[in-house]
Amino acid sequence: SENTPLSGLLIFNDLESLGQVGYLTNDLWIFGNPVDRNFKAIFILNGIWPNNHQLTLTEQNIIQEYILTGGNVYLEDGEFWSQENENNLIRYFQCIGLSDGLGDLGTIEGLPGVFTENLIFDYTGENNWIDRLQSLPGAFPILVNTEPEYVTAVANDSESYRTIGT
């Protein structure tokens, strides 16, 4: 997303360092229909209010189609999970916002027994009303803010697709 160029660049650089091919863009359709392109994963970085991108219905629909064809999606959004507005994607992440949160995101840690175990880092980005998350049946928390403690990321590993909501 144009709203989080540094995050996108960091993920792009990490993919390259792992020998993976990535492309950094603001246009989900840059190569045509993402479903037809058979991407391994799509990382969506919508940013934090008031500098965030809100997914359009068209964007939600193509992401949903991609997920339903076995896609893997990472969706980072400071407002998406607690919005009162309906959206088509939350059910695929099995993640909801418990509250709109405060500006208190700081040290983030991975949880024992999941793929983020032993991960720890300090968050230094925009910090406005970060959604406090809860996993629904089938999904599980993977990252927590340490003080105050609340879930910041949820993974859903279904039989046909994988999602991470942050």
Side-chain angles (χ1 to χ4, degrees):
S1 165
E2 63 203 38
N3 301 305
T4 57
L6 180 58
S7 294
L9 184 59
L10 292 172
I11 290 172
F12 177 80
N13 290 339
D14 286 344
L15 287 171
E16 273 196 341
S17 72
L18 294 169
Q20 300 295 314
V21 175
Y23 194 80
L24 184 59
T25 182
N26 291 335
D27 181 2
L28 193 55
W29 292 86
I30 192 82
F31 298 115
N33 186 328
V35 174
D36 298 337
R37 299 300 301 182
N38 197 27
F39 294 132
K40 289 184 180 178
I42 297 176
F43 293 80
I44 303 164
L45 311 169
N46 285 334
I48 305 295
W49 184 89
N51 300 311
N52 61 315
H53 170 75
Q54 293 184 345
L55 292 173
T56 66
L57 186 55
T58 300
E59 290 169 329
Q60 289 181 45
N61 287 339
I62 192 59
I63 295 164
Q64 176 180 338
E65 185 180 347
Y66 172 75
I67 289 171
L68 290 173
T69 59
N72 302 300
V73 175
Y74 172 91
L75 176 56
E76 181 178 292
D77 193 310
E79 294 300 308
F80 188 79
W81 311 107
S82 291
Q83 284 181 347
E84 292 178 13
N85 300 332
E86 290 290 322
N87 68 64
N88 296 336
L89 297 176
I90 285 183
R91 68 177 162 251
Y92 301 107
F93 290 83
Q94 286 300 94
C95 170
I96 59 168
L98 292 176
S99 72
D100 210 17
L102 302 168
D104 56 10
L105 192 59
T107 301
I108 299 171
E109 291 185 358
L111 293 172
V114 298
F115 61 92
T116 58
E117 186 172 14
N118 298 321
L119 180 67
I120 184 168
F121 60 94
D122 291 324
Y123 177 80
T124 58
E126 291 182 278
N127 208 344
N128 303 316
W129 299 283
I130 306 296
D131 291 348
R132 295 175 181 209
L133 305 180
Q134 177 180 340
S135 58
L136 298 175
F140 51 96
I142 59 171
L143 295 172
V144 295
N145 188 64
T146 59
E147 186 60 41
E149 187 172 318
Y150 57 89
V151 175
T152 62
V154 170
N156 184 24
D157 187 1
S158 84
E159 291 183 17
S160 59
Y161 62 83
R162 291 182 179 133
T163 58
I164 294 176
T166 65

